[in-house]
């Protein structure tokens, strides 16, 4: 016995139906995943408040390990949210990070997005 083709098709909206409002959950899914991770958000926020910070300054400030900071900083560099300048202070390597214009825009967009989610949840 063959099934009706109507049973296999999802119900369609009527012509007068309005599009449902985006829920806070759907909005949260659309967050910038590069910045949303806790340590990366901390890095970007710290650099937004400072012109530049060294690797050791960030490590101390964020209380993290060399490896953890390095991996997350690289992810932000790859997204062009931060820039990295390597030099030597005598014989000691010095790595400095700063927030790029794209990184500042991404952070501002992220904060605005989070504010809209919070507002939606409170309504």
């Amino acid at each position: 016995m063959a099934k009706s083709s109507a049973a296999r098709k999802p119900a369609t909206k009527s012509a007068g139906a309005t599009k449902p409002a985006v829920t806070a959950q759907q909005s949260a899914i659309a967050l910038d995943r590069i910045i949303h991770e806790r340590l990366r958000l901390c890095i970007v926020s710290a650099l937004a408040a400072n012109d530049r910070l060294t690797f050791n300054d960030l490590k101390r400030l964020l209380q993290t390990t060399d490896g953890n900071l390095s991996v997350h900083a690289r992810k932000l560099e790859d997204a062009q949210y931060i820039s990295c300048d390597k030099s030597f202070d005598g014989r000691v390597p010095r790595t400095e990070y700063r927030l790029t214009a794209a990184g500042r825009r991404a952070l501002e967009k992220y904060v605005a997005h989070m504010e809209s989610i919070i507002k939606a949840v409170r309504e």
Side-chain angles (χ1 to χ4, degrees):
M1 181 175 195
K3 292 184 180 178
S4 161
S5 63
R8 284 183 261 141
K9 291 182 183 176
T12 58
K13 294 180 185 175
S14 64
T18 59
K19 186 176 179 181
V22 175
T23 65
Q25 182 181 7
Q26 290 168 325
S27 185
I29 291 170
L31 284 170
D32 182 339
R33 293 291 184 205
I34 299 294
I35 291 181
H36 188 64
E37 201 290 326
R38 186 189 68 80
L39 188 58
R40 291 193 292 260
L41 180 58
C42 289
I43 293 168
V44 171
S45 297
L47 291 172
N50 296 278
D51 183 43
R52 57 183 54 233
L53 290 170
T54 66
F55 183 89
N56 288 330
D57 291 338
L58 278 170
K59 187 173 99 170
R60 229 179 343 272
L61 181 67
L62 306 178
Q63 299 178 353
T64 190
T65 63
D66 288 3
N68 205 14
L69 179 56
S70 179
V71 166
H72 289 291
R74 174 68 67 181
K75 193 87 156 168
L76 290 166
E77 279 183 82
D78 291 346
Q80 297 181 341
Y81 288 175
I82 66 172
S83 66
C84 174
D85 296 317
K86 295 184 181 244
S87 61
F88 284 90
D89 187 8
R91 291 182 176 218
V92 178
R94 181 179 176 89
T95 303
E96 287 187 326
Y97 295 100
R98 65 182 176 77
L99 192 62
T100 64
R104 189 165 302 278
R105 283 190 304 273
L107 178 61
E108 289 168 358
K109 183 178 176 184
Y110 178 84
V111 170
H113 194 156
M114 289 298 291
E115 287 172 343
S116 72
I117 292 171
I118 291 166
K119 181 180 176 187
V121 169
R122 287 186 175 164
E123 289 178 350

